[in-house]
Amino acid sequence: RPRVLSGIQPTADSFHLGNYLGAVRQWVALQDTHDAFYMVVDLHALTVNPSAAELRTRTRLAAAQLFASGLDPERSAVFVQSHVREHAELAWILICQTGMGEAGRMTQFKDKSAKVGEGSTSVGLFTYPILQAADILLYQADQVPVGADQKQHLELSRDLAQRFNHRFGPTFTVPSPYILKEVEKITDLQDPTAKMSKSSSSPQGILDVLEQPGPLRKKVMRAVTDTGSDVVMDEENKPGVSNLLRIQSAVTGVPVPELEARYAGQGYGTFKKDVAEAVVEVFAPIRERTEKLLGDEAELDRMLAVGAAKARAVAAETMAHVRENIGLLPTP
Ligand code: TYM
């Protein structure tokens, strides 16, 4: 079975619709056909300097949401990144294989550091994509299911794998992105040309998985739509309506042309109500299961321990080859 791997940051209390449709839903589907590794990337979250209490809470929240979304600890290895020490170790080795210019071209770094001001940007934010490459290469992943915003980071992972293999002999599988076009970029409800984002969207622009039905409905009803009254897919002239169509189609499984026909001549009102209901219907059971999982922390931690054990076995094997190939002496 081909292997998939992906990760999500515990940098907010809840996943949002973009995380769910762009990534997590594919993770759940792929566990039936692939050898699957999914993690909460707590080391990556350190780049934004959370408090210790916040990081702990959010890491468990993220893990609970993954299980609540349908990841099965029997079929997938679901784990916390920092529980596998090899991530940090391989990251250092890959950092030494990465050019300053190469790392400096990463647009997510440029955007994020511009926002906080260059003086308060950490070196960790700069090396973030290299830690991500380590995450992927450690598990010899064939495919990495993500949203469109991760394309450039995956390109770097591929380059680093190829470079290492070329210099030190075959060591890493070169990973491919797994991106579903229809859901690769879910946009902000208030600013429908920008992606929905934990760090830059306003609360009104984001639909959180753990949010109550009331506020979810309100946000969809107040989503920015476009002039005119036709419910049609038109990214250029109707980015707001297109985003809602994309969301409804993804959530209900009804193809976009069928939705366009259904709402012809009806204006935006009914359409928005239906989108809101469809989203609420998907989110409510995930929220309820998340709450239940968080009620038994010991059990949640036990599930994560099972995942960590599976992950560690694979990571340790890769690291043994890396160490030998690059010339580090065997560990006494
Ligand atoms: P993160 O935590 O920002 O996002 C998790 C996943 O959600 C996707 N995503 C979206 N997809 C569609 N539309 C959106 N508006 C949207 N917003 C977010 C992201 O593309 C991502 O797939 N760097 C990664 C975490 C990471 C990782 C890895 C991923 C660390 N190591 C190894 C893959 C493999 C990140 O910040 O994801």
Side-chain angles (χ1 to χ4, degrees), residues 5-9 16 18-19 22-23 27 39 41 44 81 108 128 132 135-136 144-150 153-154 183-187 195-198:
L5 170 136
S6 200
I8 188 159
Q9 291 199 76
H16 59 64
N19 300 136
W27 303 3
M39 65 192 151
V41 293
H44 278 103
Q81 183 188 34
Q108 280 211 341
Y128 177 116
Q132 181 167 347
D135 296 341
I136 297 167
V144 184
V146 288
D149 60 345
Q150 297 301 312
H153 288 169
L154 291 191
V183 286
E184 65 170 17
K185 184 182 171 190
I186 301 298
T187 61
K195 76 165 179 181
M196 187 179 286
S197 151
K198 314 182 234 225

Side-chain angles (χ1 to χ4, degrees), residues 207-220 276-277 279-281 283-284 287-288:
L207 297 174
D208 276 330
V209 173
L210 299 184
E211 215 162 1
Q212 297 293 331
L216 283 173
R217 290 194 184 99
K218 215 174 257 169
K219 287 185 192 182
V220 174
E277 282 324 302
V279 170
V280 165
E281 226 169 273
F283 282 3
R287 173 171 45 79
E288 283 155 22

Side-chain angles (χ1 to χ4, degrees), residues 49-208:
N49 281 303
S51 74
E54 198 172 53
L55 182 60
R56 264 192 289 274
T57 305
R58 288 178 166 176
T59 300
R60 286 208 181 89
L61 262 166
Q65 286 174 85
L66 289 180
F67 292 123
S69 301
L71 290 185
D72 173 0
E74 302 295 318
R75 283 180 291 164
S76 298
V78 181
F79 63 102
V80 174
Q81 183 188 34
S82 67
H83 289 171
V84 184
R85 304 288 194 268
E86 283 82 356
H87 291 256
E89 185 182 3
L90 181 58
W92 173 254
I93 290 173
L94 295 178
I95 282 170
C96 297
Q97 303 295 320
T98 309
M100 284 296 284
E102 194 174 28
R105 277 195 295 278
M106 296 291 122
T107 55
Q108 280 211 341
F109 167 73
K110 287 198 274 191
D111 293 347
K112 286 191 184 171
S113 58
K115 231 177 55 191
V116 294
E118 210 178 304
S120 31
T121 299
S122 74
V123 177
L125 197 61
F126 187 67
T127 58
Y128 177 116
I130 310 172
L131 176 59
Q132 181 167 347
D135 296 341
I136 297 167
L137 303 187
L138 262 185
Y139 298 92
Q140 311 287 354
D142 299 293
Q143 290 175 317
V144 184
V146 288
D149 60 345
Q150 297 301 312
K151 273 183 194 164
Q152 197 187 27
H153 288 169
L154 291 191
E155 205 45 56
L156 178 69
S157 299
R158 290 172 60 85
D159 289 346
L160 288 174
Q162 280 159 344
R163 184 173 311 153
F164 195 102
N165 290 347
H166 182 75
R167 283 195 64 185
F168 302 108
T171 310
F172 296 124
T173 301
V174 180
S176 305
Y178 178 96
I179 299 176
L180 295 190
K181 197 89 199 115
E182 306 75 45
V183 286
E184 65 170 17
K185 184 182 171 190
I186 301 298
T187 61
D188 186 319
L189 299 185
Q190 290 301 317
D191 180 5
T193 54
K195 76 165 179 181
M196 187 179 286
S197 151
K198 314 182 234 225
S199 58
S200 57
S201 294
S202 72
Q204 294 311 312
I206 287 200
L207 297 174
D208 276 330

